Amino acid sequence: VIGTSGAGKTSFVHKYTNNSFQENYKATIMSEYTGHPLNLDGHHYLIQVWDVAGQDNNTNVTKIFAKHALGAIVMSDSQNQASLERYDYYFIYRAMKWKESVDSIQKFLDGTPLPCILVENKADLLPQDQLNEMGVLKKAANEHGFIEAFKSSAKTGYNVKESMEFLLREIIKRLEAYEKEGNNVFAKEKKGVQIDDEMVKAHKERK
């Protein structure tokens, strides 16, 4: 989970994995890791969710924690768009920069771009007419290679499970297609499940 600082990435992850919410979190430094058991469509999985710090100068950190990823969520804060002009500049431009960063660092196992969804968080603070308006968000997602766009609220849980499981189903579908072609999902450095020495070192440095 990547995106602008203060967008609610940590709250989003905690809501999905623990169904918990706090009004105030300390800003994430480097990254936070959560392992989460998941029962989806009758199958059991253990997923890794990385909550990556959102500072604009965090490119090197993103490189470390995105390089084994199988999918990504780019998140922004709905309250950072006070007007359509602000929305166009702040949200779309900066969200696309995060997407471009991931695309340049990591590909899916078959060499295609990672499945990535666009999420505008803190939807509980939006008036009803803006909550239901998805035109600009969907347009931005379609134009920049996202597989879907959502508005969410980590506070109320609105679209948290729905957006996460949409992405997870897409990842699983692609993994199954990759395996059907005779490939081993866990070959090539066990992408998607390995925590390597570089990640461990980065976690130690932030403490």
Side-chain angles (χ1 to χ4, degrees):
V1 183
I2 59 175
T4 53
S5 182
K9 299 183 296 296
T10 300
S11 295
F12 182 93
V13 171
H14 282 224
K15 190 68 174 182
Y16 180 69
T17 58
N18 301 316
N19 194 29
S20 64
F21 177 80
Q22 296 178 22
E23 288 290 347
N24 297 303
Y25 281 101
K26 292 182 179 179
T28 302
I29 302 173
M30 300 287 284
S31 76
E32 296 288 344
Y33 160 77
T34 302
H36 179 63
L38 174 69
N39 188 335
L40 186 65
D41 302 329
H43 298 280
H44 297 281
Y45 305 93
L46 179 62
I47 63 171
Q48 296 180 2
V49 183
W50 292 91
D51 167 19
V52 180
Q55 287 77 11
D56 287 341
N57 60 356
N58 225 23
T59 305
N60 290 334
V61 177
T62 304
K63 286 181 180 178
I64 294 172
F65 295 102
K67 70 176 185 178
H68 294 297
L70 294 174
I73 296 174
V74 174
M75 183 171 292
S76 184
D77 174 358
S78 65
Q79 295 307 290
N80 281 326
Q81 296 97 48
S83 67
L84 184 60
E85 291 77 18
R86 176 71 168 167
Y87 186 104
D88 285 341
Y89 174 77
Y90 185 91
F91 175 63
I92 296 177
Y93 174 77
R94 294 182 68 183
M96 298 320 125
K97 286 297 182 182
W98 284 99
K99 175 70 162 58
E100 290 171 7
S101 178
V102 170
D103 287 346
S104 69
I105 294 164
Q106 178 71 356
K107 302 295 184 185
F108 199 71
L109 299 179
D110 59 5
T112 60
L114 290 184
C116 187
I117 61 173
L118 182 60
V119 175
E120 181 185 309
N121 197 31
K122 303 186 183 181
D124 55 287
L125 301 178
L126 292 174
Q128 191 64 39
D129 60 334
Q130 290 185 32
L131 178 63
N132 296 330
E133 174 51 52
M134 292 292 295
V136 175
L137 198 63
K138 293 277 190 181
K139 184 175 184 290
N142 291 335
E143 290 178 350
H144 295 278
F146 291 89
I147 60 173
E148 188 55 277
F150 294 88
K151 291 183 180 180
S152 73
S153 168
K155 183 175 183 177
T156 67
Y158 174 71
N159 268 346
V160 172
K161 179 179 179 181
E162 291 79 1
S163 57
M164 279 291 295
E165 294 189 354
F166 182 93
L167 176 61
L168 290 168
R169 285 188 173 95
E170 180 65 20
I171 292 171
I172 292 166
K173 181 177 73 174
R174 293 195 188 187
L175 287 173
E176 290 174 345
Y178 185 75
E179 283 190 317
K180 284 180 180 179
E181 294 176 355
N183 300 297
N184 183 353
V185 169
F186 298 108
K188 298 182 180 179
E189 302 178 355
K190 297 183 179 179
K191 291 184 179 179
V193 297
Q194 178 174 311
I195 303 176
D196 62 18
D197 292 339
E198 197 172 5
M199 290 181 178
V200 173
K201 180 181 177 182
H203 271 281
K204 288 180 179 179
E205 288 177 348
R206 72 177 175 83
K207 291 183 178 180

